[in-house]
Amino acid sequence: MNAKYSLFTSRLVLLLAGAVLCARPLSAQQVWREGHNICGLSLYDDTQVEARLGGTFTSGGYRLPSEAEQLWQATAEAEAETHYKDLLFVGSFSFNTQHGKGMMGSMFTTPDFYPVDLLEFTPGPKSRQTYNVGGGMVVTRHARWIPGFALQFEGVNYAKQKDLRHTTYRQVVQLTPSLFYKGDRWRAGATIIFNKNSEFVQAEQIGTATADTYYVFLDKGKRYGTYEAWDGGGIHLSDPGVDRFAVNQTIWGLALQTSCGESFFAEAEYRHSRGLVGEKGYTWFRFPGQTLAGQAIWNITGKKGVHTIQASANWTGYESFESVIDRVTAGGVTTPVIYGSNHIYRKRSLAIQNAYAYESSAGWSLSATASVEWERDRGTHMYPFLEYDDGTVLRVGAQAHVPLGPFTLDGGLSVKKKVAQEHLLIDTDESEDGVVSRPARLQEWWDMEEEFRDVTTVGGFFNLRYNFVLARQNFYVEAGCQLVHAFQVTLLGGSNRQETHLTLGYHF
């Protein structure tokens, strides 16, 4: 009785802590876990709870300029899924803390997530804490129509304690109500996606300055933008009445799913986003966007295992507009007036991936993936300037999972290669005026980032897990390492990057 009470109490604590669906590898036996619809989990009676504690160390010169020379991480995670007669609950909670050495560059928690960025240039330590909590529930009482929802919250604190000091806060809330129709063999579902994310940066200089002034670059796309003192009027970190650089984005979407037993599953998704930079009437930038995505999974059952084929595609596009703003004072009150906007940046990307996996009835599995990514962007930051880039990247990989008694081995290899590239630059006017002006650019920074993206890389990983029982409870300890080697590196700090982790897990 004590054991049963302890198990129930542990699950209840995790469920009340909140949650999100657990991220899992592709499974031929439970295809509805690959989609957005939480109600599909009602097909599986898979009650389980897992908790993990781990640490990670990352180092190596093959890195983006905004990444750390050395990065230490510690993570605590807990996930739960519990099935009752008429209800299903899922939940997870995680906390991650990071400490980076010799960091500079982007002041945002996730560089390149937004079409604008702020970069600072004083190397120093940075710290980051990430909290993730949420919850999900499905009502399984009805035989055919099953409703449910999932709610997720993420908060990030990011700080640098060396001038120029900055503190960055990020919040993400996602709500996904779903409806599921359970037929005898055919199933169908629909999910509404609402996502609200925001991030703001505050900067300050404390004590005696170690330099004449600290400069910041406001990136408006392709590393073109404004380079000024951090409190200058063109950076928007310290404007009159506005003491922070704020970004807000709202996303609405719809996903539709269908399946035929466990042999076929398909999902199509559309998202529309609206993003703004600024607050209190000062809208410095707007960036609307759209996303189309889809996937299909086929399972073919053989005598000794299951073959799985997956095909997916994702198209994303967004525009960026810079506002023309003036401050108008009337009656002693100053208010912003927006006269119009300039179209300064445009980006399109398409990724197509095919995957194959074989799961043996003996417990081992093999998988392989191949993907092609097209990316096109165009900068029109200043008349008559125009810069256009078009690139194609190929990625292939393979991995294996092998159980050996109490041990489990996972390993894989991957290759990335840029197979095509096109570049167009227009910086003169056809008229007799001969306009040759162009926007300011962080050319050295841009060249390093381009080399990081363009060079051919070979990567691999290896994980070893040992499963053991202690006090009648199931534990495991896992150690692993990921390595990446880049060829023909000339601008970056090195050709290699490694990540080593150690994890202790509890599963019941």
Side-chain angles (χ1 to χ4, degrees):
M1 180 177 292
N2 292 335
K4 291 183 179 179
Y5 179 79
S6 176
L7 177 63
F8 173 78
T9 304
S10 299
R11 286 177 180 162
L12 182 61
V13 169
L14 292 179
L15 292 171
L16 293 178
V20 175
L21 292 176
C22 315
R24 294 187 174 189
L26 175 64
S27 171
Q29 308 303 319
Q30 299 181 345
V31 293
W32 276 86
R33 293 188 183 276
E34 303 303 315
H36 291 287
N37 197 317
I38 187 178
C39 303
L41 300 185
S42 61
L43 299 172
Y44 319 117
D45 188 7
D46 193 10
T47 295
Q48 59 180 312
V49 176
E50 183 171 343
R52 295 180 295 274
L53 292 173
T56 304
F57 173 66
T58 306
S59 64
Y62 176 66
R63 61 184 177 88
L64 288 168
S66 293
E67 294 181 323
E69 296 176 0
Q70 296 180 355
L71 182 67
W72 294 89
Q73 300 184 63
T75 303
E77 300 175 296
E79 299 171 343
E81 179 180 323
T82 301
H83 294 247
Y84 297 101
K85 180 180 179 181
D86 297 326
L87 292 173
L88 160 66
F89 295 96
V90 296
S92 74
F93 169 81
S94 67
F95 171 75
N96 174 272
T97 181
Q98 301 179 6
H99 181 78
K101 176 183 177 182
M103 296 188 68
M104 59 179 179
S106 178
M107 302 167 75
F108 279 83
T109 62
T110 309
D112 295 331
F113 185 88
Y114 299 114
V116 295
D117 202 351
L118 292 171
L119 289 85
E120 50 85 21
F121 308 99
T122 307
K126 287 189 179 184
S127 61
R128 169 175 167 158
Q129 294 80 41
T130 303
Y131 310 82
N132 200 311
V133 64
M137 182 180 72
V138 178
V139 180
T140 59
R141 179 180 307 172
H142 305 288
R144 295 294 186 182
W145 294 96
I146 299 175
F149 75 92
L151 177 64
Q152 179 182 2
F153 170 80
E154 180 184 79
V156 184
N157 302 327
Y158 188 44
K160 184 172 187 177
Q161 301 301 323
K162 179 179 180 180
D163 287 336
L164 177 68
R165 307 183 184 208
H166 71 83
T167 305
T168 307
Y169 299 96
R170 177 175 176 82
Q171 292 184 344
V172 181
V173 177
Q174 179 162 297
L175 174 65
T176 52
S178 300
L179 184 64
F180 178 73
Y181 175 76
K182 183 180 179 181
D184 295 333
R185 184 165 177 78
W186 283 95
R187 291 87 180 248
T191 303
I192 296 175
I193 301 170
F194 172 74
N195 181 292
K196 179 71 167 64
N197 60 80
S198 62
E199 190 162 348
F200 67 85
V201 182
Q202 290 181 305
E204 60 179 343
Q205 181 178 327
I206 299 178
T208 303
T210 57
D212 293 335
T213 187
Y214 292 97
Y215 288 89
V216 169
F217 184 80
L218 171 57
D219 174 37
K220 304 177 183 180
K222 300 175 71 65
R223 294 301 184 228
Y224 287 103
T226 303
Y227 181 79
E228 289 185 7
W230 71 273
D231 54 355
I235 301 299
H236 309 310
L237 272 172
S238 182
D239 285 335
V242 182
D243 64 347
R244 63 183 190 175
F245 189 91
V247 186
N248 293 274
Q249 186 181 46
T250 303
I251 302 172
W252 287 95
L254 175 66
L256 302 175
Q257 307 91 17
T258 186
S259 73
C260 179
E262 292 295 321
S263 61
F264 174 79
F265 172 83
E267 181 178 56
E269 173 190 354
Y270 170 77
R271 297 192 188 198
H272 175 78
S273 64
R274 177 177 179 267
L276 300 174
V277 178
E279 58 182 356
K280 299 181 181 180
Y282 294 92
T283 302
W284 303 112
F285 301 92
R286 295 182 295 109
F287 52 99
Q290 300 180 83
T291 297
L292 286 170
Q295 64 169 325
I297 300 173
W298 294 269
N299 289 325
I300 304 171
T301 303
K303 294 182 179 180
K304 297 182 179 181
V306 179
H307 304 265
T308 301
I309 301 173
Q310 182 184 42
S312 62
N314 186 296
W315 178 90
T316 301
Y318 66 82
E319 319 284 331
S320 183
F321 300 86
E322 184 176 15
S323 302
V324 180
I325 300 180
D326 191 15
R327 295 179 175 87
V328 178
T329 301
V333 178
T334 301
T335 57
V337 177
I338 300 177
Y339 294 108
S341 60
N342 297 316
H343 188 188
I344 61 172
Y345 187 64
R346 175 181 180 179
K347 186 173 183 177
R348 301 286 186 267
S349 63
L350 173 64
I352 298 176
Q353 177 175 291
N354 294 310
Y356 167 79
Y358 177 74
E359 296 183 24
S360 170
S361 57
W364 58 269
S365 64
L366 297 172
S367 64
T369 60
S371 67
V372 180
E373 303 171 11
W374 292 273
E375 186 174 289
R376 298 177 179 179
D377 59 4
R378 184 186 68 189
T380 53
H381 299 85
M382 179 186 297
Y383 177 84
F385 172 85
L386 180 147
E387 182 169 354
Y388 169 86
D389 283 289
D390 186 342
T392 303
V393 175
L394 174 66
R395 301 176 190 269
V396 294
Q399 65 181 56
H401 171 84
V402 181
L404 298 172
F407 293 93
T408 302
L409 303 179
D410 289 281
L413 295 172
S414 62
V415 178
K416 183 209 77 173
K417 182 176 179 57
K418 193 162 192 176
V419 295
Q421 184 174 6
E422 181 182 354
H423 177 76
L424 174 65
L425 176 64
I426 299 175
D427 59 358
T428 60
D429 192 356
E430 294 181 355
S431 67
E432 296 181 357
D433 295 336
V435 180
V436 295
S437 59
R438 63 166 61 189
R441 188 179 208 177
L442 286 181
Q443 191 64 51
E444 183 179 356
W445 202 276
W446 171 258
D447 290 341
M448 288 190 292
E449 292 178 323
E450 281 290 276
E451 181 176 81
F452 180 89
R453 289 185 286 261
D454 292 349
V455 295
T456 300
T457 63
V458 174
F461 76 93
F462 178 81
N463 297 329
L464 175 62
R465 175 179 293 194
Y466 174 65
N467 302 287
F468 61 98
V469 178
L470 182 63
R472 298 184 180 181
Q473 303 297 324
N474 297 317
F475 290 86
Y476 66 85
V477 60
E478 180 180 284
C481 184
Q482 300 182 38
L483 298 172
V484 177
H485 176 74
F487 297 90
Q488 297 180 342
V489 171
T490 59
L491 301 177
L492 300 174
S495 300
N496 301 300
R497 188 77 166 170
Q498 71 82 30
E499 180 179 287
T500 304
H501 76 270
L502 180 64
T503 303
L504 174 65
Y506 173 42
H507 183 82
F508 57 96

